[in-house]
């Protein structure tokens, strides 16, 4: 068996003497025209950096979204603080026994007392 | 059209002279077709694949860096088309089992017409050509690609590395493995060859 070097030399010599066949003559006809027909059907070459307009739009959209986000955060931030204030007031109200809670009276006796006070107040006004 | 570089033609095409693409097709069709043939072993399929490559090259012409060679870029597209062909056919050359009949596959055909050759050698050369064509067809895809580009299409190692998208050292490794695989495949016939 030939060693690697002599085999390679022999192979290169052989391939030079017997190159790969050329494409058959009858198949060569119309090759370029077929490619050009397909190229014409495909339209003009795709422009480079087709995405160039996209960053402009993306930038504008991104800026808009960022603005909206900032606005939303601010609104939600102020909303949070108003909610916190409300909770704070409610806690103060709960803590103050002098302010009616609006809860239903615990008992029928209490309800009757409440109605009597209400009637007296109405009579006093009239 | 002598004297006009590929870069100039490409510039004209991108500038709207699209019909000038015929110049590039005419210039490289034979080599692109032969390259695809070396990889798939069938003239008809090779024609389709090389034409697909030309269409893809045209569509992406604006991406072509003009500091590079159009031919190398085109050959790379051809190689990728052939890879896709094998993928779609689920017919990877590296997985084709050894066949006792080389004609069962698509062996590459060599041009054995040699008027100066000894007629008594013709039969042996014919047999060897058939075996060699089949053995090339059984190489793994990367080895086969490197072998076809370098040994059958006459491209330099640097050109092969650019067409395959790998380093020159890797190309050398693929070529070494390819030629060793061919040497092993053809050992019985080579003995006859060196002794005649």
């Amino acid at each position: 068996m030939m060693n690697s070097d002599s085999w390679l030399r022999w192979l290169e010599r052989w391939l030079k003497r017997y190159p790969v066949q050329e494409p058959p003559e009858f198949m060569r006809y119309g090759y370029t025209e077929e490619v050009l027909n397909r190229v014409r059907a495909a339209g003009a070459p795709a422009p480079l950096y087709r995405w160039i307009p996209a960053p402009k739009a993306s930038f504008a959209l991104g800026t808009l979204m960022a603005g909206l986000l900032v606005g939303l955060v601010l609104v939600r931030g102020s909303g949070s603080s108003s909610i916190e204030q409300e909770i704070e007031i409610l806690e103060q109200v709960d803590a103050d026994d002098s302010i009616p809670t609006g809860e239903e009276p615990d008992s029928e006796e209490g309800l009757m007392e409440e109605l009597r006070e209400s009637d007296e107040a109405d009579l006093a006004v009239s | 059209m002598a004297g006009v570089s590929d870069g100039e033609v490409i510039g004209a095409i991108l500038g709207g002279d699209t019909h000038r693409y015929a110049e590039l097709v005419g210039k490289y069709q034979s080599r692109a077709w032969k390259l695809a043939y070396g990889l798939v072993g069938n003239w008809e399929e090779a024609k389709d694949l090389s034409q697909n490559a030309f269409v893809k090259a045209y569509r992406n012409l604006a991406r072509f860096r003009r500091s590079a060679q159009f031919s190398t870029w085109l050959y790379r597209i051809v190689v990728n088309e052939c890879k896709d062909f094998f993928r779609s056919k689920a017919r990877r050359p590296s997985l084709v089992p050894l066949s006792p009949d080389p004609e069962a596959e698509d062996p590459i055909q060599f041009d054995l017409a040699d008027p100066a050759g000894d007629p008594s050698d013709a039969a042996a050369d014919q047999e060897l050509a058939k075996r060699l064509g089949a053995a090339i067809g059984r190489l793994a895809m990367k080895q086969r690609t490197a072998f076809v580009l370098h040994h059958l299409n006459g491209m330099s190692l640097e050109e092969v590395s650019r067409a395959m998208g790998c380093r020159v050292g890797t190309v050398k490794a693929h070529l070494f493995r390819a030629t060793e695989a061919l040497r092993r495949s053809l050992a019985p016939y080579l003995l006859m060859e060196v002794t005649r």
Side-chain angles (χ1 to χ4, degrees), chain A residues 4, chain B residues 171-181:
Chain A
S4 297
Chain B
V171 172
K172 284 181 184 172
H174 288 319
L175 285 172
F176 178 76
R177 289 196 190 106
T179 50
E180 282 302 289

Side-chain angles (χ1 to χ4, degrees), chain A residues 2 7 18-19 31-32 38 44, chain B residues 29 50 52 59 125 179 183:
Chain A
M2 288 187 207
W7 154 241
Y18 301 124
Y31 184 103
T32 303
R38 291 176 59 186
Chain B
Q29 70 174 58
S50 61
N52 287 348
R59 290 289 299 148
D125 282 334
T179 50
R183 185 168 72 106

